[in-house]
């Protein structure tokens, strides 16, 4: 086998983030094992294996282009190679993210990496080929490079939260499609999830989550859903354009959410149900979250709010005005629209979202009590001591705020 022809669609460096200290092999589960013929008839192959990251989530010549008798491995060597060289530092930065911090390089590395990671798996490539009506693997790989930033603008404008499983005995598992989307109205057997399909990231209630390590997961929620979770889950968010400029606010990143054991099990259940064929975990029992999860009802994970950010940190508005040295400037709505674009000012939407956000904040407080489930340092951030059980993270942010 030549160099660069054994292609890991989930990189080895990323897999190692989900292994226990000193562990050289971990557990992989095949959800659709092949059938083999035996003297007793056709039986499925063994579905559980304990293998090293070098041996799994890989496929020969997945990224090799072939033109007649000529093969080319430059996509693996230069395109995916650069991403996989740069991404580890960015993933590590966000797995350890605290306020106040704003690493522009890490952000500008993580978003394209996640976008490509969603496209580069067998599931992602099949979906891309279907959407572009490509019957040729070479062409699909060419298109992937052209649309590599497909999801970046939508994810930039999402509400970001980094949740923590440190208090849970169970840790995060990963799948062969690790950038996972979940929409509570799109269960695995629905039309949105057939075969290689995923719910569109632009549907209101579609969350995207990406495990960063055994203990940390990045969760992205469309602002339209975080403000108004009473509307249609499968209606599109405002501004559907995907290839455009978007503005990110580091201060709005929510941190400090400590997940319960059941919440981790529910997230792992979603990971497993949205996998294409394989999942992997540091412990064998983690491969079967459904055995201990409090519910298997797709809509009722977290009572319907499993991946939602802390709504009491959200606020209305969000228009961004940028001025440049030497004159000139730009303006963006909270949904990325420009002043001349339809929807930049939508008073009906603003009234509806404002009313719904107030209602959601009240319902969230009834469920979770006075203590905020997360903290950020944005304008609506919770920076006052009103909780009997203030986390160390909130105290640290509060002290920094008082010194300003």
């Amino acid at each position: 086998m030549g160099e660069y022809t054994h292609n890991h669609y989930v990189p080895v460096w990323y897999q190692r983030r989900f292994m226990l200290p000193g562990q050289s092999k971990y557990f992989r589960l095949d959800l659709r094992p092949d059938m083999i013929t035996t003297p007793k008839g056709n039986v499925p192959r063994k579905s559980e294996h304990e293998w090293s990251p070098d041996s799994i989530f890989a496929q020969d010549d997945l990224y090799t282009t072939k033109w007649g008798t000529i093969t080319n491995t430059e996509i693996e060597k230069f395109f995916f190679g650069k991403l996989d060289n740069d991404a580890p530092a960015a993933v590590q930065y966000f797995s350890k993210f605290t306020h106040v911090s704003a690493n522009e390089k890490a952000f500008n590395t993580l978003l394209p990496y996640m976008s490509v990671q969603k496209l580069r798996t067998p599931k992602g490539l099949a979906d891309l080929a279907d959407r572009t009506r490509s019957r040729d693997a070479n062409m699909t790989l060419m298109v992937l490079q052209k649309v590599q930033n497909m999801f970046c603008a939508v994810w930039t404008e999402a509400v970001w939260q980094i949740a923590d499983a440190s208090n849970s005995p169970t840790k995060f598992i990963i799948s062969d499609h690790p950038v996972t989307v979940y929409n509570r109205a799109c269960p695995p057997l629905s039309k949105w999830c057939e075969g290689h399909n995923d719910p569109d990231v632009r549907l209101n209630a579609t969350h995207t989550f990406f495990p960063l390590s055994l203990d940390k997961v990045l969760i992205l929620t469309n602002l339209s859903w975080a403000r108004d979770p009473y509307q249609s889950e499968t209606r599109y968010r405002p501004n559907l354009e995907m290839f455009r400029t978007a503005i990110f606010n580091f201060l709005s990143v929510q941190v400090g959410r400590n997940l319960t054991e059941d919440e981790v099990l529910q997230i792992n259940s979603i990971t497993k149900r949205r996998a294409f064929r394989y999942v992997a975990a540091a412990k064998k029992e983690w491969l079967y979250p459904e055995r201990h999860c409090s519910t298997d009802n797709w809509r009722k994970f977290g009572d319907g709010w499993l991946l939602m950010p802390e709504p009491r940190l959200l606020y209305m508005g969000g228009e961004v005005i940028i001025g440049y040295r030497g004159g000139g400037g730009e303006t963006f709505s909270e949904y990325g629209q420009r002043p001349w674009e339809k929807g930049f000012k939508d008073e009906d939407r603003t009234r509806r979202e404002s009313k719904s956000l107030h209602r959601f904040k009240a319902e969230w407080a009834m469920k979770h009590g006075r203590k905020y489930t997360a903290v950020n340092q944005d304008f609506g951030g919770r920076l006052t001591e009103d909780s009997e059980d203030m986390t160390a993270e909130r105290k640290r942010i509060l002290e920094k705020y008082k010194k300003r």
Side-chain angles (χ1 to χ4, degrees):
M1 186 62 63
E3 192 175 13
Y4 304 113
T5 58
H6 187 59
N7 307 137
H8 279 84
Y9 50 86
V10 180
V12 171
W13 66 263
Y14 177 76
Q15 294 184 57
R16 293 192 187 281
R17 299 184 66 84
F18 299 87
M19 300 173 68
L20 297 170
Q23 197 171 23
S24 60
K25 297 180 180 180
Y26 69 147
F27 299 91
R28 190 204 71 173
L29 177 66
D30 188 344
L31 302 173
R32 293 185 285 111
D34 296 326
M35 302 298 290
I36 57 174
T37 301
T38 71
K40 296 182 179 180
N42 292 332
V43 296
R45 288 184 182 273
K46 181 181 177 182
S47 60
E48 294 178 2
H49 297 90
E50 188 177 6
W51 281 338
S52 75
D54 294 320
S55 302
I56 61 175
F57 296 140
Q59 184 175 317
D60 290 340
D61 290 320
L62 183 62
Y63 306 137
T64 300
T65 54
K66 299 178 182 180
W67 309 95
T69 60
I70 300 173
T71 60
N72 188 301
T73 59
E74 290 189 355
I75 293 177
E76 168 72 356
K77 182 177 180 180
F78 296 110
F79 180 66
F80 293 117
K82 184 179 188 310
L83 282 169
D84 289 329
N85 284 334
D86 296 342
V91 171
Q92 177 68 7
Y93 167 77
F94 279 100
S95 72
K96 301 293 184 182
F97 182 84
T98 59
H99 288 293
V100 178
S101 179
N103 187 324
E104 182 180 356
K105 181 180 178 180
F107 174 81
N108 288 331
T109 299
L110 181 70
L111 259 291
Y113 172 76
M114 287 178 56
S115 185
V116 171
Q117 179 61 76
K118 190 175 189 307
L119 295 167
R120 74 191 284 187
T121 66
K123 179 178 179 178
L125 289 170
D127 182 56
L128 184 61
D130 187 50
R131 292 178 184 275
T132 59
R133 299 180 181 179
S134 171
R135 297 182 179 274
D136 181 82
N138 292 346
M139 185 59 65
T140 304
L141 289 170
M142 297 299 109
V143 171
L144 185 154
Q145 294 174 84
K146 290 181 178 294
V147 301
Q148 60 183 280
N149 294 326
M150 179 185 296
F151 307 104
C152 292
V154 173
W155 287 342
T156 297
E157 293 164 354
V159 180
W160 284 46
Q161 61 170 312
I162 300 172
D164 193 327
S166 297
N167 294 338
S168 169
T170 300
K171 305 303 180 183
F172 293 117
I173 66 173
I174 57 172
S175 77
D176 55 5
H177 194 64
V179 179
T180 302
V181 297
Y182 164 76
N183 186 313
R184 71 182 191 185
C186 304
L189 298 180
S190 67
K191 64 179 181 180
W192 292 278
C193 299
E194 292 177 344
H196 54 253
N197 293 332
D198 268 339
D200 195 314
V201 299
R202 298 168 297 175
L203 297 180
N204 277 319
T206 297
H207 304 268
T208 303
F209 67 86
F210 181 53
L212 300 171
S213 67
L214 279 172
D215 284 320
K216 295 291 181 67
V217 61
L218 172 63
I219 304 172
L220 310 179
T221 303
N222 287 321
L223 178 63
S224 59
W225 185 244
R227 284 180 172 179
D228 180 12
Y230 308 106
Q231 61 184 309
S232 169
E233 294 100 333
T234 55
R235 185 177 297 157
Y236 285 101
R237 53 152 275 171
N239 194 357
L240 300 184
E241 177 60 43
M242 301 186 81
F243 298 97
R244 55 185 171 79
T245 301
I247 305 298
F248 182 71
N249 180 6
F250 276 94
L251 298 178
S252 68
V253 177
Q254 296 190 9
V255 295
R257 177 181 175 184
N258 290 303
L259 298 168
T260 66
E261 170 83 350
D262 194 45
E263 288 173 329
V264 175
L265 290 169
Q266 290 178 17
I267 291 173
N268 285 347
S269 293
I270 296 170
T271 297
K272 184 174 181 179
R273 295 293 298 276
R274 298 307 303 132
F276 198 44
R277 180 170 177 175
Y278 303 109
V279 292
K283 292 186 178 182
K284 186 186 294 186
E285 59 266 30
W286 296 351
L287 295 171
Y288 304 96
E290 66 278 5
R291 293 177 179 175
H292 305 287
C293 198
S294 63
T295 181
D296 62 357
N297 187 315
W298 198 251
R299 178 175 285 277
K300 292 186 177 180
F301 287 137
D303 294 328
W305 311 126
L306 174 63
L307 301 179
M308 291 296 274
E310 168 60 75
R312 290 170 289 186
L313 297 176
L314 304 180
Y315 53 90
M316 296 302 298
E319 182 177 312
V320 177
I321 302 175
I322 303 172
Y324 297 108
R325 291 179 181 177
E330 295 183 278
T331 304
F332 300 81
S333 75
E334 64 268 48
Y335 292 110
Q337 295 132 325
R338 312 304 294 278
W340 58 85
E341 294 177 334
K342 182 179 179 180
F344 178 77
K345 293 288 187 182
D346 189 331
E347 294 183 0
D348 289 339
R349 183 184 70 211
T350 298
R351 282 193 293 270
R352 172 179 54 79
E353 289 185 343
S354 180
K355 182 178 179 180
S356 296
L357 180 58
H358 278 88
R359 174 185 168 186
F360 185 36
K361 288 181 178 182
E363 290 191 14
W364 191 268
M366 290 287 289
K367 177 178 174 62
H368 295 282
R370 293 180 62 188
K371 181 183 176 182
Y372 278 41
T373 56
V375 64
N376 68 6
Q377 204 165 7
D378 206 354
F379 297 114
R382 194 60 177 177
L383 297 170
T384 57
E385 288 185 82
D386 71 337
S387 171
E388 299 87 354
D389 186 19
M390 180 175 287
T391 64
E393 175 73 5
R394 187 180 292 130
K395 287 182 179 179
R396 191 178 65 77
I397 292 174
L398 180 61
E399 289 305 313
K400 281 194 175 185
Y401 181 75
K402 288 178 178 178
K403 292 177 182 178
R404 288 183 171 185

